[in-house]
């Protein structure tokens, strides 16, 4: 989960960071927070985010302009605006922002907003291209059941077919939403949406495949599973 906090007030950045970190840690969600005081650095980068907290009135670039650019890179970025001013709510709603907070923000509203963001991300039908046997095929991420090692390649099993793609399994983890793609074993990454049965040591996928949960990963995976079904 890649999260941006962009604000020209350092105190606001630190407060938001602490709250968001606590939220993600308590729910066992892997995350990476990028902090930025100057929005121009984000605007001129190629960074893509799952969630973005943006001030609206900043020095070099306003938050609405930055939000439009982030949405251009990833149309499913969950947007939050945190500002000292109340006059931009209509503009924020035009961008389908999940929440509009005035400073100082209320922590309970922040938590509720993050809950909503995870529901939004879980339900997002992100598409990627898989290159296999000389063909690039567009695939909906939520159609992927699991990924596993097959020789020196990675087998990506979807609802309809299997793709053999280059790369390492760990590299592919970064392509998928961490809220519902998890690694129960070093040889598997699974889409929790397609788990039919779960016991402490085993998963049964929707295609009937049985996947072991490695002993070292069992406590972490169990926590992630109950967070997932709780959402």
């Amino acid at each position: 989960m890649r999260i941006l906090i962009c604000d020209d007030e350092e105190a606001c950045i630190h407060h938001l960071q602490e709250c968001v970190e606590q939220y993600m840690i308590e729910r066992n969600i892997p995350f990476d927070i990028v902090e930025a005081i100057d929005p121009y650095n984000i605007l001129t980068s190629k960074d893509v985010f799952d969630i973005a907290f943006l001030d609206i009135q900043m020095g070099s670039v306003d938050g609405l302009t930055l939000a439009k650019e982030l949405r251009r890179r990833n149309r499913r970025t969950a947007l939050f605006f945190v500002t000292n001013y109340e006059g931009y709510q209509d503009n924020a709603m035009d961008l389908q922002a999940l929440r509009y907070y005035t400073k100082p923000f209320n922590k309970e509203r922040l938590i509720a907003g993050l809950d909503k963001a995870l529901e939004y991300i879980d339900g997002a039908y992100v598409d990627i291209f898989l290159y296999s046997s000389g063909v690039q095929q567009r695939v909906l991420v939520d159609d992927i059941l699991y990924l596993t090692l097959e020789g020196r390649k990675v087998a990506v099993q979807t609802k309809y077919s299997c793709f053999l793609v280059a790369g390492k399994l760990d590299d592919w983890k970064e392509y998928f939403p961490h809220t519902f793609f998890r690694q129960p074993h070093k040889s598997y990454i699974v889409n929790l949406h397609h788990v039919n049965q779960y016991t402490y040591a085993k998963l049964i996928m929707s295609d009937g495949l049985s996947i072991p949960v490695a002993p070292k990963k069992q406590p972490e995976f169990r926590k992630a599973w109950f967070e997932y079904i709780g959402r």
Side-chain angles (χ1 to χ4, degrees), residues 15-62:
H15 189 194
L16 263 173
Q17 179 186 1
E18 289 177 359
C19 294
V20 173
E21 281 184 352
Q22 181 182 0
Y23 179 94
M24 294 296 171
I25 290 170
E26 287 176 353
R27 287 155 181 79
N28 196 37
I29 298 172
F31 67 95
D32 175 33
I33 296 179
V34 174
E35 303 172 10
I37 293 178
D38 187 350
Y40 185 75
N41 293 334
I42 302 298
L43 189 71
T44 55
S45 74
K46 295 182 180 180
D47 289 343
V48 176
F49 299 95
D50 300 300
I51 297 174
F53 292 89
L54 308 175
D55 190 4
I56 290 183
Q57 286 198 341
M58 295 182 283
S60 56
V61 180
D62 68 87

Side-chain angles (χ1 to χ4, degrees), residues 1-4 24 49-53 77-78 80 114 117 121:
M1 183 75 66
R2 296 207 75 218
I3 303 166
L4 170 66
M24 294 296 171
F49 299 95
D50 300 300
I51 297 174
F53 292 89
T77 298
F80 293 87
L114 285 168
I121 292 168

Side-chain angles (χ1 to χ4, degrees), residues 19-224:
C19 294
V20 173
E21 281 184 352
Q22 181 182 0
Y23 179 94
M24 294 296 171
I25 290 170
E26 287 176 353
R27 287 155 181 79
N28 196 37
I29 298 172
F31 67 95
D32 175 33
I33 296 179
V34 174
E35 303 172 10
I37 293 178
D38 187 350
Y40 185 75
N41 293 334
I42 302 298
L43 189 71
T44 55
S45 74
K46 295 182 180 180
D47 289 343
V48 176
F49 299 95
D50 300 300
I51 297 174
F53 292 89
L54 308 175
D55 190 4
I56 290 183
Q57 286 198 341
M58 295 182 283
S60 56
V61 180
D62 68 87
L64 295 170
T65 299
L66 181 57
K68 291 175 184 177
E69 171 59 20
L70 294 178
R71 274 283 174 80
R72 186 191 67 79
R73 299 175 197 173
N74 175 14
R75 66 182 183 274
R76 297 174 178 88
T77 298
L79 296 174
F80 293 87
F81 289 106
V82 185
T83 180
N84 285 316
Y85 305 93
E86 297 185 357
Y88 297 93
Q89 292 189 25
D90 289 344
N91 304 80
M93 293 307 104
D94 287 343
L95 286 166
Q96 297 180 323
L98 289 182
R99 289 288 188 278
Y100 183 99
Y101 302 115
T102 53
K103 300 177 184 177
F105 64 87
N106 179 280
K107 187 175 179 180
E108 290 182 358
R109 283 196 69 218
L110 175 67
I111 291 171
L114 285 168
D115 286 342
K116 193 71 175 176
L118 291 184
E119 290 177 11
Y120 170 76
I121 292 168
D122 273 359
Y125 284 80
V126 184
D127 50 1
I128 63 171
F129 278 93
L130 296 178
Y131 184 82
S132 180
S133 302
V135 177
Q136 287 196 341
Q137 178 68 43
R138 186 191 299 272
V139 175
L140 294 177
V141 164
D142 200 46
D143 283 346
I144 296 172
L145 278 62
Y146 50 83
L147 298 86
T148 187
L149 295 172
E150 189 165 317
R152 295 185 177 182
K153 292 194 173 182
V154 173
V156 183
Q157 181 64 53
T158 75
K159 290 180 179 179
Y160 312 105
S161 58
C162 184
F163 298 86
L164 287 178
V165 297
K168 298 178 181 179
L169 199 61
D170 283 346
D171 296 335
W172 280 95
K173 281 195 301 187
E174 303 307 314
Y175 284 90
F176 305 116
H178 292 300
T179 51
F180 59 97
F181 275 86
R182 290 295 185 149
Q183 190 168 17
H185 188 280
K186 66 179 181 180
S187 299
Y188 292 94
I189 297 172
V190 302
N191 183 346
L192 298 181
H193 291 171
H194 295 288
V195 174
N196 276 3
Q197 295 179 28
Y198 166 63
T199 65
Y200 197 62
K202 184 174 66 174
L203 305 172
I204 304 296
M205 303 303 295
S206 58
D207 67 346
L209 181 69
S210 175
I211 294 177
V213 181
K216 290 184 178 180
K217 291 183 176 290
Q218 286 171 1
E220 175 187 351
F221 190 86
R222 182 179 178 83
K223 183 176 180 181

